[in-house]
Amino acid sequence: MKNQTHNFLAVAFAALFCAFANAEAPVKIKTNSPQASYIVEKLTTEFFQNKNPVNVAWEVSFVLDSLALGPEDYRITKQKNTVFVQGGGKRGLIYGGQEVLAQVRSGAALPDVQPREGKAGQAFRAIKFNLPWFSYRDGPALQQHTETCKKVEFWEKFLDMMSENRFNALTLWNLHPFPYMIQSKNFPEARMFSDAEMKEWRNLYTSIFDMAHERGIETYIINWNIYAPDSFLEKHNLTTTDDKNTPLGDAELSPVVQQYNKESLTQVIDEYPKLTGFGFSLGEKMGKMTPAEREQWALDTYIEAMKNASRKIKLIHRVPFSGNTRSEGSTSADMETITRRGIESIDAAKEPILVEVKFNWSHAHSTPKLIKTHGGPLHDKYWNPKPENYKIVWMARNEDFFCLRWGQPEFIREHIAQNDHDYTAGYFLGSECYIPALDYFSKLDSVKWEYAFERQWYYYMLWGRLLYDPSTSDAVFEKEF
């Protein structure tokens, strides 16, 4: 181990020396990495606060080894009185530390920690989280989560859960995110909040992005089209055909609306340096536009906005959608070809564009076979021939079991096996009409959890751990019970 570490010029990110008899025992950390500091703090807390059995002669050493391991891979070994956690990158260090943490929580002292290896399978393992403000649907089932989702403490626990289960991307969805994140510089009429309220929103989003970064989790905001605040529309004497900001209907295609959206995205990118990426749809509020017109609007608005920003961010492009009008309810090979041409015109730089394809009717939990996507059956134009600047990512929604916990590891393994191709990158997991925040199912004085996602811990653990490594044994999940 010493020779390997020396030869690979590996960096010792952190050394944790645990002495239980002495609460003042030193915690040795040599790192500028918030990711290494995060997992070391988690281990330290476990040992000291929860009074785990510790042999004071033992320590844990975190070592970065990018030559021997992939960025998300880890290896746990033991030598003399040290548990070595090697990670190929910052996420690898976290996942290796999470494995040690899981063993310690199960009662293992450091000398009893078992060697393990982890190798990442699906590259993109994301949570789809629909926010309750400016939400895609309206109603008390969604809006009841607003106060919970405005709490930084909620997001801290949710992101901890994601890290433990090896999810590496949080995608935040609502119809129009920009007014909650910025005060538009050139369109003050789009203002929705006072200075004090805006400060609270900015603190919330900044906290989410910072905590996600610390846990090695990418963050994306995803919107639908084409929206602007009511105050903005009134200022410019504009209305939508349904006269309100709802998902259906036709958008106001005025150039000022397009310019507002373009400038807003650029400003968001510049003002939130920890935000990883942005995603958009080609459906809502684009009712009477042709597929080519929809794609061109997105290119002229969002792609140009990203070019105008001070830094590069990643892109999620949702497909496919129905043809000229929403009422047609069908897809076509021609539409796929047109949309693909638009995607391929985008400079993806070093990172491939992520193209989201949805298992519609939420049938992803009924069969691993893609039966119907948004608009109808899917042709093969998005991956035949194999794309060069983008990867397909499957959306596995859950609109069916909210009260039930759900858990079927063999089904998930089969799902991954059937849908893992050289043109795919991974999965989104989440809902449209359910928000896993406020727990309104449980009698709260009889449970150990506070939030809805905690009661469905098995669902998140299965998908997250199996997307990371589908060979993960059922014994791992059985142990959690």
Side-chain angles (χ1 to χ4, degrees), residues 136-411:
Y136 186 80
R137 304 291 185 191
D138 287 320
L142 279 79
Q143 271 62 61
Q144 67 178 333
H145 298 280
T146 298
E147 292 307 312
T148 301
C149 289
K150 289 173 71 174
K151 295 178 180 179
V152 172
E153 310 88 81
F154 164 77
W155 291 104
E156 183 177 16
K157 284 194 173 183
F158 192 83
L159 290 162
D160 278 344
M161 177 277 293
M162 290 182 61
S163 173
E164 290 173 9
N165 292 323
R166 320 301 195 251
F167 287 104
N168 64 7
L170 173 65
T171 60
L172 302 173
W173 302 54
N174 64 345
L175 291 179
H176 192 59
F178 306 137
Y180 296 85
M181 303 179 72
I182 59 166
Q183 299 281 32
S184 176
K185 294 177 181 178
N186 294 324
F187 297 98
E189 63 271 24
R191 182 187 183 102
M192 292 173 55
F193 304 104
S194 68
D195 288 344
E197 291 170 328
M198 194 67 233
K199 184 177 180 180
E200 292 179 357
W201 283 113
R202 186 179 293 275
N203 177 69
L204 175 65
Y205 277 96
T206 299
S207 298
I208 293 172
F209 300 154
D210 285 349
M211 290 187 298
H213 177 73
E214 183 183 44
R215 290 156 178 78
I217 296 171
E218 295 182 342
T219 48
Y220 297 78
I221 56 170
I222 300 180
N223 77 340
W224 285 267
N225 297 302
I226 302 170
Y227 295 93
D230 289 336
S231 58
F232 178 95
L233 297 174
E234 292 170 3
K235 171 74 174 180
H236 296 277
N237 296 315
L238 301 171
T239 59
T240 58
T241 54
D242 54 2
D243 201 31
K244 59 182 178 179
N245 278 306
T246 58
L248 306 182
D250 303 326
E252 172 53 65
L253 296 178
S254 169
V256 71
V257 173
Q258 185 174 38
Q259 186 65 24
Y260 157 72
N261 277 277
K262 182 194 298 185
E263 291 188 16
S264 293
L265 177 55
T266 299
Q267 192 174 335
V268 165
I269 296 170
D270 289 344
E271 293 187 13
Y272 290 89
K274 296 289 177 61
L275 175 66
T276 307
F278 175 74
F280 60 81
S281 305
L282 292 177
E284 280 67 29
K285 291 294 190 184
M286 292 180 145
K288 292 184 178 179
M289 301 170 71
T290 67
E293 289 171 338
R294 297 180 186 192
E295 187 68 36
Q296 193 59 52
W297 192 93
L299 294 175
D300 293 341
T301 309
Y302 298 131
I303 304 306
E304 286 302 309
M306 293 168 68
K307 290 179 181 177
N308 294 336
S310 60
R311 64 186 181 92
K312 298 289 186 182
I313 65 168
K314 297 183 180 182
L315 175 65
I316 295 173
H317 189 307
R318 300 189 69 206
V319 300
F321 290 89
S322 54
N324 291 344
T325 67
R326 198 175 171 82
S327 61
E328 287 181 3
S330 64
T331 56
S332 69
D334 288 343
M335 189 200 72
E336 292 178 19
T337 300
I338 291 171
T339 307
R340 173 170 180 162
R341 191 179 303 133
I343 299 172
E344 290 180 330
S345 72
I346 302 170
D347 180 11
K350 295 182 180 180
E351 298 287 343
I353 297 165
L354 299 175
V355 174
E356 182 255 27
V357 176
K358 178 173 62 175
F359 279 67
N360 214 14
W361 296 338
S362 299
H363 70 281
H365 290 92
S366 300
T367 172
K369 182 179 180 181
L370 180 66
I371 305 297
K372 180 183 187 295
T373 187
H374 200 133
L378 193 65
H379 304 269
D380 67 349
K381 301 303 179 183
Y382 287 115
W383 55 78
N384 185 20
K386 179 183 173 182
E388 294 184 2
N389 73 326
Y390 67 85
K391 292 273 192 179
I392 300 292
V393 181
W394 307 114
M395 172 65 75
R397 285 195 347 197
N398 166 26
E399 310 300 342
D400 301 305
F401 48 90
F402 300 155
C403 294
L404 299 179
R405 310 299 181 86
W406 197 89
Q408 195 172 5
E410 276 306 313
F411 176 83

Side-chain angles (χ1 to χ4, degrees), residues 122-126 354 391-395 419-420 424-428 467:
Q122 302 297 303
F124 188 76
R125 308 179 299 277
L354 299 175
K391 292 273 192 179
I392 300 292
V393 181
W394 307 114
M395 172 65 75
N419 296 287
D420 184 20
T424 63
Y427 282 74
F428 294 87
L467 285 173

